[in-house]
Amino acid sequence: MDIGGPTDVQHVAHVTFDRFNGFLGLPSEFEPDVPKKAPSASATVFGVSTESMQLSYDSRGNCVPVILLLLQSRLYDQGGLKVEGIFRITGENSEEEYVREQLNKGMIPDGIDVHCLAGLIKAWFRELPRGVLDPLPSEQVLQCESDEDFIKVVRLLPQTEASLLNWAINLMADVVQFENVNKMNSRNLALVFAPNMSQMKDQLTALMYAVQVMKLLKCLTEKALREREVTSPPVDTRSSNEAEDGEKEVDNEEEDEEEEEGDGDGDGVYIIEEVDSEAEGGEKEVDKEEEEEEEEEEEEEQDGDGVYIIEEEALQITRVVADDHKSESMKSAYDGSITSDSKGVDGVVQPLICNPDHIGNK
């Protein structure tokens, strides 16, 4: 028998569902058949079973409470993965209580410290009615000695707890990927998450069981990181050495381009230097010609000075000869005058007396 499509469809009312108050806007004729309030709704998001909470799927297909997805998204948006000591440092109690109240109303306030957000995620797991790992047989967990043993025993978890554990493991793996900044490796995260993943009531085996839980979380976190390296996109599938080689190749290409640009600049400088050298050579030739001209002029001047000096010397010699001749004639005249006029009666030489007859004679 074939079932046909709906007929005589009418829009009677718009109905919405609220996890606290059930269906809103439901027509009165449908109220007897539909419960007014959701039977499993909870007024708080902490300390209640996941069955009474609104669930959603994350990017890896894990069905988890929406509150965890909201806290994770806000933690990532505020850069919590790169904060040192994330999930190890606790936030302020007053701020955590305020955020709890807002989360129970279905919203997260802005400006919350990342350590407070991380602490609330751990608190949510810690306050579950039953721990995520409590369904596992404690004897088998205590007997695990290798990574294969831990992986095998985790497969015994129910679907709900397995999804929560997988979500927590991937959260820890996200944090470990920034361990060079936040200083939180897989062991540190396993150490702070282990007390929140189980509620071992036997005090005699609680310590040993906590150590095994820590090893289990560390093993699963490292396994998730290895799987990411294999299944990551092509850009991220390269090993660290290949990535470094690729970066080196890019750097070498950039250096080659810079060298080519530098060579081009060098050619320009070389051309400029050649032009400058040619200009300097021309200037030197001009200077050399000027120097030669100056030297020729100096030589001509020196030649003229020599002639002039010779003429002056000849004139001086002539004057000296004339003066000597004149001085000799005057001396002879003087000697004659002395002999005739300057001797007295007794033959004593008398002082020379001007003779008026000789005045004016040369």
Side-chain angles (χ1 to χ4, degrees), residues 56-71:
S56 182
Y57 291 93
D58 66 355
S59 59
R60 294 179 175 85
N62 298 312
C63 184
V64 296
V66 175
I67 182 61
L68 291 179
L69 300 179
L70 293 176
L71 290 172

Side-chain angles (χ1 to χ4, degrees), residues 10 50 54 75 94-95 140 153 183 229 293 316 344 355:
Q10 296 180 1
T50 56
Q54 185 177 359
L75 178 67
S94 59
E95 187 178 22
Q140 294 188 22
V153 74
K183 312 301 181 184
E229 293 179 357
E293 292 178 358
Q316 289 178 359
N355 189 356

